[in-house]
Amino acid sequence: NFPRLVLNLLFSCLSLPSSTNYRQVLYFRIFWSGNTDPWPPRPHSVYTPSTSLSQTFTNLTHLLYWPLTPGDGGDLLASTSPKTSTYHLRHPAQATYALGSYLEVVLVARDQRGRPKTHGGDLFQARLLGPGLKAGVPGDVQDLENGTYLLSFPLLWAGRAQVQVRLIHSSEAVGVLRRIWREHWATVDFIGYFRGPKGDEENVSCNVTPLLTREEDSFCYYKDEDSGELWFCAQPPTLACSMLVGHSAGHYWNVTTSHEEALLAWNLTDKLLPQGIVLSPARPCYPAIPAPKPSGFYHQDVWHSLACSNRHFPTADSILGCLAGHIIHMMGDSTLRQWWEYLRDTVPSLKPVDLHALYQVGPLMAVETSRGIVLHWRAHSWPLRSLRTPVASLHSVARELAGLAGGPHTVVVLGLGAHFTTFPPSVFARRLAGIRAAVMALLNREPSTLVVIKLANTGYKSVYGSDWFTLQVNRLLRAAFAGLHVAFVDAWEMTSSLALPDNIHPNQLIVRNEVDLLLSFICPT
């Protein structure tokens, strides 16, 4: 029986500590049917809501399906092993292969005793490399759910090619990650800083639901009027809810058993299994262009899109020529801030402006006055793992988008995902619902605005942030903006196609190629 993903909507009348009497509070919980583990205590009263998410976000079963993992009974040797798992060509080897055809490989997952697995659910990552050409392309991994996987690679360059497969997480480790979402709701908390009129301070726990603040019956809540999103803090001992002045990351929670920690340990995680005339599309890069799979490949350390003829901007002058007359608004996490930093460091005449803000959160700005270039970056709002930050600096993406007039000189770049891997997908779905509505409104009032979505990249390998979590986040990102006139930069594939160490903050070679693809959408010809 396949698992079904169910979205529960819980609404509660909550007595607030402020002057307001009652408000509606919306909770989202996602769980897999058949689960017998209890949830945290529910709010006391339930009634019918007046607000609902679109069908796109309430029906997540198709998007987030992942095969269930049978229990291993605490036997670590029953988990999938990168040392004993093997792969071979699906068909007899040929002397030559035609450019544009596909190479198919069968992977057999085995446990640490060398026995073939009988179920799927492992997270494998595959790529085809051309070491002498500095070429690489990601492979498609199809889980046949019987312990075998079909890998498919497009043949895009002439010369020697090598299949490389990594086990990111065993199916048993994925089961641990799934349990964390199901039972704990979060793996981190946050700190809210309250200051009274005489300078006295009180610090309390904050989070995405009051159930995670340790104070279910007495808490403060804050509503974003643009998106409708809520943020909760425990009620300070003596100060009022309105006295919240600061926000920061709190603590990572211990949510795993010793057996689960062994399944997620370094020796079983992200391990390599033992063992070209470039066909370039002719059409320029533009929003809403169909996305092939894979979306591109590296050759000589340069990314070549299979969706469009992406351009390359090797000099400061070429970048300036493209950005001239544009205002770029970047909103998201630190992996998107890397784009701002790359442009600042690569173009000497692009001068940073000191806005006296916390660098980690922003806002950051750089300008090139002679060519009319303004480059902005700021972090998205909570949940944000950050140093202590003024609450006033935490702007919601939906609100920022509502304040943009748009037009042919406006470029909006959104990079979301990394800070949402510590929560179940319903939290991210709610964020995306508000942002999608804001993007639609922006494009309706000014269709010539360019909106670019940066998908989340690889790099996380722990229970607090895993590539498995990120993969689900990217599925939701694509679904959220499907059908809109927006462009995508597939950072997931661009960070998983070269023989480079995985890092949540990829090195400059990858960042340069990501920015080049962004510039290709700004300046397609």
Side-chain angles (χ1 to χ4, degrees):
N1 294 328
F2 293 126
R4 292 192 313 108
L5 196 60
V6 182
L7 181 64
N8 275 5
L9 303 181
L10 305 179
F11 295 81
S12 172
C13 280
L14 298 173
S15 179
L16 301 179
S18 63
S19 57
T20 305
N21 290 328
Y22 294 98
R23 295 290 176 88
Q24 295 180 1
V25 181
L26 174 62
Y27 297 93
F28 299 89
R29 278 214 292 252
I30 292 185
F31 65 93
W32 282 261
S33 61
N35 168 41
T36 59
D37 296 315
W39 287 92
R42 295 175 179 237
H44 302 302
S45 57
V46 179
Y47 63 91
T48 304
S50 59
T51 306
S52 63
L53 286 179
S54 67
Q55 186 64 27
T56 302
F57 298 107
T58 56
N59 182 14
L60 300 175
T61 305
H62 175 70
L63 295 175
L64 302 182
Y65 170 73
W66 198 271
L68 283 175
T69 304
D72 59 11
D75 181 8
L76 186 63
L77 297 180
S79 63
T80 308
S81 169
K83 295 181 179 179
T84 62
S85 298
T86 59
Y87 53 91
H88 58 272
L89 290 175
R90 185 182 187 186
H91 304 292
Q94 303 176 32
T96 60
Y97 293 85
L99 283 173
S101 63
Y102 279 79
L103 184 72
E104 292 187 326
V105 172
V106 175
L107 188 157
V108 180
R110 303 176 188 271
D111 67 18
Q112 297 188 48
R113 295 185 178 95
R115 301 175 303 188
K117 302 293 288 287
T118 58
H119 59 81
D122 299 294
L123 178 56
F124 286 103
Q125 186 182 93
R127 50 196 168 207
L128 190 69
L129 301 175
L133 299 172
K134 297 182 179 180
V137 63
D140 179 67
V141 180
Q142 180 183 356
D143 188 346
L144 302 182
E145 300 191 27
N146 60 3
T148 62
Y149 300 78
L150 181 61
L151 316 181
S152 180
F153 305 90
L155 301 176
L156 302 170
W157 62 85
R160 183 171 175 269
Q162 177 184 359
V163 173
Q164 187 181 90
V165 182
R166 305 185 77 87
L167 175 64
I168 304 301
H169 288 305
S170 67
S171 57
E172 291 74 19
V174 169
V176 175
L177 302 178
R178 191 200 303 266
R179 182 190 67 79
I180 300 303
W181 263 358
R182 186 185 68 215
E183 296 180 9
H184 289 277
W185 257 78
T187 53
V188 298
D189 64 4
F190 303 84
I191 299 174
Y193 300 85
F194 292 75
R195 183 184 301 128
K198 297 180 180 180
D200 48 320
E201 282 202 0
E202 294 175 354
N203 306 335
V204 300
S205 175
C206 301
N207 223 308
V208 295
T209 83
L211 303 178
L212 301 175
T213 65
R214 306 190 189 98
E215 294 291 342
E216 181 184 346
D217 296 324
S218 179
F219 59 86
C220 304
Y221 88 96
Y222 305 89
K223 181 178 180 181
D224 186 293
E225 297 301 330
D226 296 288
S227 68
E229 290 187 86
L230 297 173
W231 184 252
F232 299 88
C233 293
Q235 173 70 53
T238 64
L239 298 180
C241 292
S242 60
M243 295 178 179
L244 177 66
V245 296
H247 164 86
S248 75
H251 309 88
Y252 287 99
W253 299 340
N254 183 8
V255 294
T256 52
T257 66
S258 57
H259 175 63
E260 291 172 334
E261 290 171 2
L263 290 171
L264 291 163
W266 68 271
N267 59 318
L268 297 179
T269 300
D270 192 24
K271 293 300 177 185
L272 192 66
L273 271 62
Q275 286 288 129
I277 301 289
V278 176
L279 301 176
S280 180
R283 55 186 173 183
C285 297
Y286 57 87
I289 194 168
K293 188 170 179 59
S295 61
F297 64 96
Y298 285 101
H299 184 263
Q300 297 292 345
D301 285 343
V302 174
W303 180 259
H304 295 267
S305 171
L306 291 175
C308 60
S309 297
N310 60 304
R311 300 175 59 197
H312 305 290
F313 300 81
T315 65
D317 283 343
S318 63
I319 295 173
L320 285 171
C322 177
L323 292 180
H326 286 92
I327 301 176
I328 317 295
H329 298 272
M330 297 182 179
M331 291 172 269
D333 55 40
S334 56
T335 66
L336 184 59
R337 188 180 66 222
Q338 286 185 275
W339 292 15
W340 186 92
E341 293 166 340
Y342 171 79
L343 290 169
R344 175 202 63 190
D345 297 340
T346 305
V347 182
S349 61
L350 196 58
K351 301 298 184 183
V353 177
D354 187 358
L355 299 179
H356 305 287
L358 182 68
Y359 184 84
Q360 189 186 29
V361 175
L364 306 179
M365 184 170 69
V367 299
E368 217 282 6
T369 55
S370 65
R371 306 206 190 197
I373 301 171
V374 181
L375 182 66
H376 291 280
W377 175 87
R378 75 178 312 137
H380 61 69
S381 187
W382 41 42
L384 185 71
R385 299 190 294 277
S386 66
L387 301 175
R388 178 168 176 171
T389 305
V391 169
S393 295
L394 300 178
H395 293 197
S396 75
V397 174
R399 177 174 296 180
E400 288 290 304
L401 293 175
L404 297 180
H409 301 290
T410 301
V411 178
V412 173
V413 187
L414 305 179
L416 307 167
H419 290 256
F420 291 87
T421 60
T422 51
F423 304 99
S426 57
V427 174
F428 191 48
R430 179 61 188 241
R431 175 64 52 90
L432 289 179
I435 294 176
R436 175 186 168 89
V439 168
M440 289 179 64
L442 173 61
L443 294 176
N444 285 337
R445 64 178 173 266
E446 190 45 81
S448 60
T449 306
L450 174 61
V451 178
V452 180
I453 310 299
K454 174 192 174 293
L455 297 184
N457 54 260
T458 60
Y460 280 148
K461 299 294 186 293
S462 79
V463 70
Y464 302 108
S466 164
D467 283 350
W468 184 80
F469 289 150
T470 306
L471 185 61
Q472 317 309 317
V473 162
N474 278 339
R475 290 175 176 178
L476 295 179
L477 269 170
R478 283 208 180 271
F481 297 101
L484 298 187
H485 197 68
V486 302
F488 287 93
V489 173
D490 195 337
W492 173 274
E493 292 195 350
M494 296 180 77
T495 54
S496 62
S497 299
L498 289 176
L500 294 172
D502 252 2
N503 193 322
I504 189 61
H505 295 112
N507 69 20
Q508 186 166 329
L509 185 154
I510 292 175
V511 173
R512 169 173 56 82
N513 281 283
E514 291 174 341
V515 173
D516 276 359
L517 188 52
L518 165 68
L519 296 175
S520 297
F521 285 108
I522 299 174
C523 306
T525 57

